């Protein structure tokens, strides 16, 4: 039987990292662990990409060549769409939505089911321990588009925000690239990064995604390993 | 050695005291936030304060509010959700006791959320923007009692009818044939869990627990001659009749997915069992159902103590098997949600129920 493919289109929070970058990991990298081998995760997410540069660098087109009917594609952009440079910048309610609509319609034309995901939360607490909103209007633009297009939308931003708030400013560092100097070979000077995930956070974020598809009883659930939800 | 037999009020105090010793008020989880988890727990503590007149309980919930609300009544809260309104139930008694204007100013901010929250075509409040076009049973408790009481205290009695209309919509859109209510309703029917009629696919214990508690509480808040009084009494009576059919024979408790006792991985959940206990005990105490129903409440409370409560060797209280914060989903989602011990949803509900048990036992003496 042909295996189902789950494509990932996104940015550095989702993408794959080489072992030399350990413990840095994108959450997409942790996803295969939750699924049986009936489903193959194909991670096309790439650091620094916005909806615009993902299209213009032919990354979407390359992914399309592997599409086959019955597959799924997760689409998660936003972090870099808000960057100011010409190559990446989009506006939430115009170009960002247009690019997302392009993804949706292209995927559908191949019989591939698109799923939209808002960006994961950044670990930005203010001095009073409140989590700051850093994604502007992009999440709302995506949510509105999903409702209009009648497609499944997973609010990773809200769900990961809740998780970070519950962990609090200190413990949430364990999910992000906060590493001490010389703690890991690849990071002699250490890191204090509130956007990029380390292995623990990648796994936790993938679990949040899995919990959401279970909540919806989404068709992808049948590929989840039984020990994951029990 | 003889162990002192605890009565229901002792249990409520023990639960309060355990968490008071563990956390300074503003550090209750999630720390430093205006949130209904703390709100529910502190509402329980408020009831203990009323019942015992012990000032330390009043001071504790006052400190929670005072650390978050400044002298001008400024504070941070989530501005797109009904949940943010629930801790407003602490502001009203604080205003009554102290007449400090800051509590009134803060309460007005929460009241004004009702002007800006998104609504369904029928006029039902969305539960949160994160869940567009959806009404959840939970929301009726989160915002209803505060809204009615605020209106009565500050000259907007018409808010009562606004809340009664929300209650009517919940009932209209979520009632199941067996007398229970589904977790919520999606007007857009776009949500993957949505059924053909738009209601949620399952009856989730805690959401129904909030609904049972809040409807039992609404009646006394209505003016004597309000036409909804009799209607709500009937709603409460019918819901309690439906609930006792699903009460576990052996333990007196209720299941996470209330009407699917026998299905895989379903389990007896503590917070919903506390809330149903509250609703039944309160309904007996207020005479909405007759005294014969007291045995169901008593059996449930006993079941909680025997099966879910533990007192460790330091004398600390632990309530186990409390489902963590949960959204609307399908059966598998509910039964595989993680559980925790002393989650404030559960301890708060336990304290609220214990106080109702205590009031009922007093009435009997």
């Amino acid at each position: 039987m042909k295996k189902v493919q789950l494509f990932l289109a996104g940015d550095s929070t989702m993408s794959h990292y080489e072992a030399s970058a350990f413990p840095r990991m994108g959450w997409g990298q942790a996803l295969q662990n939750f699924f049986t081998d009936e489903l193959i995760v194909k991670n096309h997410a790439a650091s620094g990409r916005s909806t615009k540069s993902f299209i213009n660098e032919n990354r979407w087109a390359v992914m399309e060549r592997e599409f086959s009917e019955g597959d799924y594609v997760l689409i998660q952009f936003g972090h870099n769409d808000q960057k100011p440079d010409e190559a990446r910048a989009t506006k939430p309610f115009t170009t960002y939505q247009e690019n997302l609509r392009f993804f949706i319609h292209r995927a559908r034309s191949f019989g591939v089911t698109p799923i939209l995901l808002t960006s994961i939360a950044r670990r930005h607490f203010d001095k009073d321990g409140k989590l700051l909103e850093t994604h502007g209007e992009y999440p709302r633009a995506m949510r509105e588009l999903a409702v209009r297009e009648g497609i499944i939308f997973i609010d990773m931003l809200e769900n990961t925000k809740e998780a970070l708030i519950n962990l609090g400013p200190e413990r949430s560092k364990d999910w992000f690239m906060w590493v001490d100097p010389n703690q890991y070979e690849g990071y002699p000077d250490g890191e204090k990064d509130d956007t990029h995930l380390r292995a623990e956070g990648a796994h936790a974020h993938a679990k949040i995604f899995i919990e959401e598809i279970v909540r919806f009883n989404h068709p992808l659930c049948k590929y989840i390993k039984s020990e994951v939800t029990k | 050695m003889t162990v002192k037999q605890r009565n229901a009020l002792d249990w409520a105090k023990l639960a309060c005291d355990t968490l008071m010793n563990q956390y300074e008020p503003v550090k209750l989880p999630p720390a430093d936030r205006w949130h209904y988890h703390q709100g529910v727990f502190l509402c329980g503590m408020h009831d203990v304060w009323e019942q015992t007149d012990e000032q330390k309980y009043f001071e504790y919930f006052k400190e929670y509010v005072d650390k978050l609300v400044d002298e001008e009544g400024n504070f941070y809260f989530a501005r797109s959700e009904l949940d943010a309104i629930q801790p407003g139930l602490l502001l009203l008694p604080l205003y009554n006791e102290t007449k400090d204007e800051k509590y009134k100013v803060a309460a007005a901010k929460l009241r004004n959320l009702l002007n800006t929250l998104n609504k369904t075509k029928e006029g039902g409040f969305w539960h949160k923007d994160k869940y567009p076009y959806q009404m959840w049973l939970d929301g009726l408790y989160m915002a209803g009692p505060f809204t009615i009481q605020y209106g009565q205290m500050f000259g907007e009695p018409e808010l009562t009818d606004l809340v009664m209309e929300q209650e009517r919509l919940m009932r209209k859109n979520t009632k199941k044939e067996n007398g229970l209510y589904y977790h919520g309703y999606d007007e857009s029917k776009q949500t993957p869990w949505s059924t053909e009629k738009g209601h949620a696919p399952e009856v989730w214990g805690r959401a129904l627990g909030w609904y049972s508690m809040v409807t039992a509480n609404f009646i006394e808040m209505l003016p004597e001659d309000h036409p909804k009084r009799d209607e709500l009494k009937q709603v409460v009576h019918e819901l309690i009749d439906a609930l006792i059919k699903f009460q576990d024979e052996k333990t007196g408790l209720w299941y996470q997915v209330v009407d699917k006792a026998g299905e895989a991985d379903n389990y007896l959940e503590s917070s919903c069992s506390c809330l149903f206990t509250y609703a039944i005990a309160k309904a007996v105490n207020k005479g909405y159902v007759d005294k014969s129903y007291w045995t169901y409440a008593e059996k449930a409370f006993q079941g909680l103590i025997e099966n879910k409560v533990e007192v460790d060797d330091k004398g600390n209280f632990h309530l186990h098997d409390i489902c963590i914060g949960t959204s609307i989903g399908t059966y598998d989602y509910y039964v595989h949600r993680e559980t925790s011990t002393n989650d404030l949803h559960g301890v708060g509900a336990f304290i609220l129920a214990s106080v109702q048990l205590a009031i009922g036992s007093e009435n009997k003496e």
Side-chain angles (χ1 to χ4, degrees), chain B residues 250-286:
Chain B
K250 185 159 153 275
T251 60
L253 304 177
W254 282 268
Y255 279 87
Q256 164 82 339
V257 177
V258 180
D259 52 356
K260 295 197 169 170
E263 294 196 20
D265 297 326
N266 205 356
Y267 64 94
L268 295 164
E269 199 276 333
S270 296
S271 66
C272 76
S273 298
C274 292
L275 293 167
F276 297 147
T277 305
Y278 177 99
I280 298 169
K282 173 103 183 196
V284 174
N285 291 343
K286 293 286 174 180

Side-chain angles (χ1 to χ4, degrees), chain A residues 118-168:
Chain A
T118 48
S119 297
I120 64 169
R122 291 191 177 99
R123 188 198 153 281
H124 281 195
F125 288 93
D126 69 9
K127 61 176 172 35
D128 299 323
K130 305 242 157 33
L131 194 68
L132 302 173
E133 185 48 71
T134 65
H135 292 86
E137 292 286 6
Y138 294 89
R140 195 158 66 86
M142 181 183 272
R143 183 186 301 141
E144 287 182 14
L145 181 73
V147 171
R148 219 179 311 139
E149 293 277 329
I151 82 163
I152 292 171
F153 152 78
I154 293 183
D155 203 338
M156 289 298 283
L157 177 60
E158 286 297 324
N159 285 294
T160 55
K161 219 161 81 181
E162 243 169 65
L164 293 188
I165 288 166
N166 283 328
L167 282 179

Side-chain angles (χ1 to χ4, degrees), chain A residues 72 152 213 216-223:
Chain A
Y72 296 85
I152 292 171
I213 62 174
F216 293 150
N217 198 19
H218 188 274
L220 281 171
C221 287
K222 60 177 175 289
Y223 306 107

Side-chain angles (χ1 to χ4, degrees), chain A residues 150 159 162 165 214-215 229, chain B residues 33 130 190 328-330 336:
Chain A
N159 285 294
E162 243 169 65
I165 288 166
V214 170
R215 185 160 86 82
T229 52
Chain B
R33 283 184 84 208
K130 179 181 168 185
Q190 291 285 337
I328 296 182
T330 56
H336 296 134

Side-chain angles (χ1 to χ4, degrees), chain A residues 6 30-41 209-210 213 220-225 228:
Chain A
L6 176 63
L31 212 45
Q32 183 71 63
N33 290 336
F34 289 90
F35 291 105
T36 64
D37 55 14
E38 297 296 301
L39 177 142
I40 308 297
V41 175
F209 168 79
I210 294 291
I213 62 174
L220 281 171
C221 287
K222 60 177 175 289
Y223 306 107
I224 298 174
K225 285 181 190 164
V228 170

